[in-house]
Amino acid sequence: MLTVLAALPVAAILILMVGAKWSASLAGATAAFGALILALTAFEFGVDDPFGPVEGVLGVLARAAWVAFTVMLIIGPALGIHHLQQRTGATAALEAGLARITPDPRVAALLIVWFFCLLIEGAAGFGTPVALAAPFLVAAGFKPVTAVVAAMVGHASAVPFAAVGTPTLAQLAIVDYGPRELSWSVAPYMAVVGLVLAFVVARLVGTLLPTAGPPWKWMAVAYAAFFVPNLLIARFVGPELPSLVGAIGGAVVFILAVRWGVNRRMRDDATGSGPPLDDAEVAAEERMRESAEEAIEHSEEWRAADARAGAAVPSPSVRREPHMSVLAATAPYLVLVALVLLTRLVAPVREATQAWEVRWELFGHFSESIQPLYHPGLLLLLSFAAGAVWQRAALRDIGLAFEKATYQVIPVFVALVAMVTVAFTMSESGMTTQLAVAAAGAGAAWPLLSPFVGALGTFMTGSATASNILFTEFQDQTALSAELDPVPLMGAQGAGAAIGNLICPHNVVAAAATVGLSGREGQVLTKALPIAGVCLVIIGAMAWLIV
């Protein structure tokens, strides 16, 4: 009976957001209220704990508000970068730069959806890649829901080794296995479900040119370019660099392959020896011409808006038109990557930025902390400032970008607090553990359910690292009790936690906010649920076969 009650908040969120199409704020608030009532009654929250029921509720709400605030520290600067990029013409310049790599916008989109998201996840984590990529994809012509789902799916393959290996390193601190043993335990799972993720990415990218369809050939190249180095590093080096090196090395290989293909086509066209353009290539060229025209029209709209507002309208040659260099246009992203690598890989810098920690504690039990100099929010803010200076952005543009981003994130705070309240209420009262223990009763069939527990942890906490901290020892002990090899189940836990990122409610809320989908988060969750379900079933089947 307790297991059924423990599952009610999760079921409520899914039913209200996916079935009833409620906003995340309303669905989350309803589920949070119900979870608190269940915690105080059925699970006796605050009775046998070192705090009372009232203190328990206040502690959960305080932690939820703090976590929501730290998430907003990422969303706000990421949105600021996006709006500033649009106002300075950097977005149009980036589109033009991608067009010089390939005339096919679907292939150019793969660089963003796949390699850029994988790189930022491998370097920074914390939902940063989706917050940066989704708005850019919308500006490039994707529908908002498609852009969010594509970015969420595109970054998922890097999650087990995100933020320089943090989720797997968290497991390493809990159980007595070697770093290469643990990194190799999760990497094959991700390579297999990566086929599903790549398939979905190709389908979503294909919506940019419906008449041309998905870019299957180039998606296959992108998949191999990332996963070959990813698997090799996980097997022979350890958990810190598989995602980071896989993304950087893979992007280089992919760009070289694309340029070789484009140059070969140009030589064939010049000599008349090549086959005629197929429908996909014709559609791609038409789309690139349309994008260039849209960029110019968009620039004119900004100038007209400034003129109506009474602002001085700069010359098109100074800004707005896509004449900015690609280097300047990519400035915020280049600075971000440099800062992330500097603070993560250079030991003295890492130690210095982690030295200052802001921590609070309430009622002797509830606590949270943040390392301001190490947090991605500060790095994004510095990248925003560096981009503005590099691109010589007008003060008006900087102010308007900051203002618009602020207005967008404020309403998101309520939804985030509600969703995180559900998560913390369930974990603090024992509901999450109750669900995991019930699943462990499957005995020899436990490997089939093991990744679902990892996903449950991420679903409730919003973090693959937190899921691994919460359930790694549980997975280890459950495997030993059932006389199963625990190492493959460590990998299933990590892979399941990674896939859980696709359906975690407050991740969905944060991602939807970056493209103006606040209140319509259920549309994103509806698309993501089947993808996550298929991946988790595959991971479970693999774990069952391995052990």
Side-chain angles (χ1 to χ4, degrees):
M1 183 60 181
L2 281 179
T3 301
V4 174
L5 293 176
L8 287 179
V10 178
I13 290 173
L14 296 178
I15 291 171
L16 294 177
M17 288 186 66
V18 177
K21 308 297 183 185
W22 285 18
S23 69
S25 298
L26 189 55
T30 303
F33 179 77
L36 287 169
I37 295 299
L38 284 173
L40 294 169
T41 54
F43 290 86
E44 300 181 338
F45 183 45
V47 174
D48 295 325
D49 298 301
F51 50 83
V54 175
E55 289 85 356
V57 172
L58 291 175
V60 164
L61 292 175
R63 287 188 65 200
W66 177 267
V67 170
F69 171 70
T70 61
V71 173
M72 289 176 65
L73 291 178
I74 296 174
I75 301 174
L79 280 171
I81 289 173
H82 167 65
H83 293 310
L84 187 63
Q85 291 285 93
Q86 285 194 307
R87 293 197 64 83
T88 61
T91 297
L94 284 175
E95 291 176 357
L98 290 173
R100 286 195 288 273
I101 296 175
T102 172
D104 190 336
R106 301 168 305 159
V107 179
L110 285 180
L111 282 168
I112 306 301
V113 176
W114 191 251
F115 291 107
F116 178 75
C117 286
L118 292 171
L119 170 61
I120 300 299
E121 181 65 17
F126 294 97
T128 310
V130 180
L132 287 172
F136 181 83
L137 293 173
V138 171
F142 284 90
K143 295 179 179 179
V145 173
T146 303
V148 172
V149 176
M152 291 178 70
V153 173
H155 91 291
S157 297
V159 171
F161 308 115
V164 200
T166 299
T168 304
L169 290 173
Q171 289 184 296
L172 187 64
I174 296 171
V175 291
D176 191 22
Y177 302 108
R180 286 184 294 177
E181 193 174 17
L182 283 181
S183 63
W184 184 242
S185 73
V186 68
Y189 290 112
M190 296 310 301
V192 173
V193 297
L195 292 169
V196 176
L197 299 174
F199 174 84
V200 173
V201 165
R203 290 289 301 271
L204 294 173
V205 166
T207 63
L208 197 59
L209 287 176
T211 57
W216 299 118
K217 177 182 68 175
W218 289 115
M219 186 69 253
V221 174
Y223 170 88
F226 171 74
F227 273 108
V228 169
N230 177 277
L231 288 169
L232 289 173
I233 294 171
R235 177 68 180 87
F236 297 107
V237 179
E240 290 88 353
L241 298 175
S243 292
L244 196 57
V245 175
I248 295 173
V252 171
V253 170
F254 184 77
I255 291 172
L256 291 175
V258 169
R259 288 305 305 160
W260 177 81
V262 171
N263 290 335
R264 187 183 66 171
R265 164 61 72 178
M266 292 174 64
R267 287 196 302 270
D268 289 345
D269 289 344
T271 60
S273 60
L277 294 176
D278 58 26
D279 292 340
E281 292 169 321
V282 171
E285 291 192 354
E286 290 177 353
R287 174 62 184 172
M288 292 309 302
R289 285 194 295 270
E290 292 172 1
S291 295
E293 293 171 0
E294 289 170 2
I296 295 173
E297 291 174 2
H298 188 62
S299 300
E300 295 295 340
E301 290 172 4
W302 280 118
R303 286 197 301 278
D306 281 349
R308 288 194 298 271
V313 180
S315 168
S317 62
V318 177
R319 65 183 183 109
R320 310 301 191 200
E321 302 293 354
H323 295 319
M324 181 185 294
S325 71
V326 174
L327 182 63
T330 58
Y333 310 115
L334 292 176
V335 171
L336 176 63
V337 172
L339 288 174
V340 168
L341 295 178
L342 182 67
T343 56
R344 270 60 177 172
L345 297 181
V346 181
V349 178
R350 181 176 67 245
E351 293 167 3
T353 54
Q354 290 178 331
W356 179 32
E357 182 178 74
V358 177
R359 174 179 290 274
W360 60 265
E361 185 176 300
L362 196 61
F363 307 125
H365 177 80
F366 301 96
S367 64
E368 287 291 341
S369 65
I370 187 174
Q371 295 169 326
L373 301 180
Y374 193 76
H375 191 271
L378 177 63
L379 306 186
L380 283 163
L381 187 60
L382 292 174
S383 302
F384 171 84
V389 172
W390 200 329
Q391 295 169 4
R392 299 181 180 179
L395 289 177
R396 174 180 171 77
D397 284 343
I398 297 172
L400 288 174
F402 183 85
E403 179 184 352
K404 191 170 183 178
T406 302
Y407 281 136
Q408 278 186 264
V409 299
I410 289 176
V412 180
F413 184 74
V414 176
L416 285 172
V417 171
M419 289 300 180
V420 182
T421 297
V422 176
F424 286 158
T425 300
M426 291 187 67
S427 61
E428 290 285 354
S429 65
M431 293 187 208
T432 303
T433 303
Q434 177 67 34
L435 292 172
V437 170
W446 168 246
L448 294 170
L449 300 177
S450 177
F452 288 88
V453 171
L456 171 67
T458 306
F459 183 91
M460 300 316 305
T461 65
S463 164
T465 300
S467 177
N468 286 346
I469 292 172
L470 190 62
F471 288 129
T472 289
E473 186 175 7
F474 171 79
Q475 295 266 17
D476 187 45
Q477 294 303 313
T478 302
L480 293 173
S481 299
E483 298 183 348
L484 301 171
D485 183 358
V487 175
L489 297 185
M490 296 298 99
Q493 159 66 35
I499 297 302
N501 265 287
L502 298 177
I503 54 174
C504 169
H506 55 278
N507 284 355
V508 172
V509 170
T514 64
V515 295
L517 285 176
S518 295
R520 292 181 286 163
E521 298 89 351
Q523 296 178 28
V524 176
L525 196 54
T526 300
K527 298 283 188 182
L529 270 173
I531 303 167
V534 170
C535 290
L536 291 173
V537 168
I538 291 173
I539 296 169
M542 288 180 65
W544 185 73
L545 290 172
I546 292 171
V547 301

